[in-house]
């Protein structure tokens, strides 16, 4: 990687690991901006249209992003203050909070997502390296800590951003 000195891997002083944490936060910011870009220029009807049959509309994906922001945010807060066992979020379709969101204007849900994301990013930027490594128990992941959860969040979201992109394509030229 550019800017890395030759002896970098021999003695880590903690700063380099923390740089990885801060880079993850920037990734979460960039992904939220990408969600916003892909939704730009479309009205409620377009966003709510299932452009891929039997699959979530762009609006439903946006509601999922917004819902996960709360779920992950609550999880981070609890992980920092308690010894917890994570209960995985299994089924959006049976989630009343998610379903209620889908009945609200997509623009409102998107604005909330962007605002919650920025608040979460600021919270994460304020954490110490030790806080990033606060552990929790998780039924599927033996080595589970806050850093892992943030990375999981980024990958999970990236998968859905690809879906958002696929749903956006039928509506014409992508926004710049």
């Amino acid at each position: 990687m550019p800017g890395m000195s030759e002896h970098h891997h021999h003695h880590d002083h903690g700063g380099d690991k923390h740089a990885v944490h801060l880079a993850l936060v920037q990734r979460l910011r960039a992904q939220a901006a990408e969600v916003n870009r892909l939704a730009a220029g479309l009205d409620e009807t377009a966003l709510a249209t299932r452009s891929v049959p039997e699959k979530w509309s762009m609006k439903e994906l946006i509601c999922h992003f917004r819902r996960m922001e709360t779920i992950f945010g609550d999880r981070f807060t609890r992980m920092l203050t308690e010894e917890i066992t994570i209960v995985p979020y299994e089924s959006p379709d049976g989630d009343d909070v998610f379903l209620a969101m889908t009945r609200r204007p997509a623009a409102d849900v998107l604005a909330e997502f962007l605002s919650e994301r920025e608040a979460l990013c600021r919270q994460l930027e304020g954490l110490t390296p030790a806080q990033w490594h606060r552990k929790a128990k998780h039924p599927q992941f033996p080595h589970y800590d806050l850093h892992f959860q943030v990375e999981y969040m980024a990958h999970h979201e990236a998968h859905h951003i690809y879906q958002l992109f696929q749903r956006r394509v039928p509506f014409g030229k992508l926004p710049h």
Side-chain angles (χ1 to χ4, degrees):
M1 302 214 14
M4 295 282 208
S5 59
E6 284 298 313
H7 59 273
H8 165 77
H9 56 277
H10 293 301
H11 48 83
D12 181 293
H13 298 299
D16 300 315
K17 281 185 179 163
H18 198 52
V20 172
H21 301 156
L22 298 177
L24 259 179
V25 175
Q26 285 309 109
R27 181 170 167 192
L28 289 180
R29 275 205 175 94
Q31 288 186 179
E34 185 65 358
V35 170
N36 195 39
R37 180 182 78 94
L38 289 169
L42 297 182
D43 62 13
E44 177 71 17
T45 305
L47 290 170
T49 300
R50 288 192 162 180
S51 56
V52 178
E54 305 301 309
K55 299 285 188 186
W56 274 349
S57 64
M58 293 183 74
K59 178 178 180 175
E60 287 167 304
L61 283 164
I62 289 164
C63 290
H64 182 60
F65 291 134
R66 164 76 184 82
R67 182 68 177 119
M68 296 315 295
E69 199 67 15
T70 298
I71 287 171
F72 286 142
D74 289 349
R75 213 178 259 186
F76 294 140
T77 303
R78 291 186 59 215
M79 283 176 75
L80 288 167
T81 55
E82 306 166 41
E83 301 296 319
I84 65 164
T85 298
I86 303 294
V87 179
Y89 179 75
E90 299 291 356
S91 168
D93 299 315
D95 176 1
D96 291 339
V97 180
F98 168 76
L99 294 170
M101 269 175 203
T102 64
R103 294 191 280 271
R104 294 175 49 217
D108 293 356
V109 178
L110 178 60
E112 283 175 10
F113 165 68
L114 296 170
S115 147
E116 292 233 339
R117 171 55 53 90
E118 185 50 35
L120 181 72
C121 286
R122 289 184 185 185
Q123 183 193 352
L124 291 172
E125 282 170 333
L127 298 181
T128 64
Q131 286 174 312
W132 274 86
H133 294 117
R134 283 275 303 189
K135 291 183 175 16
K137 288 193 171 60
H138 192 292
Q140 286 141 339
F141 305 112
H143 304 290
Y144 192 88
D145 63 9
L146 195 120
H147 181 169
F148 180 90
Q149 170 67 78
V150 176
E151 188 156 343
Y152 180 92
M153 182 181 186
H155 288 297
H156 168 263
E157 185 173 82
H159 155 81
H160 286 305
I161 289 172
Y162 174 59
Q163 293 175 328
L164 196 67
F165 169 78
Q166 290 174 306
R167 307 301 191 269
R168 179 66 178 75
V169 170
F171 295 104
K173 197 168 184 300
L174 291 173
H176 265 56

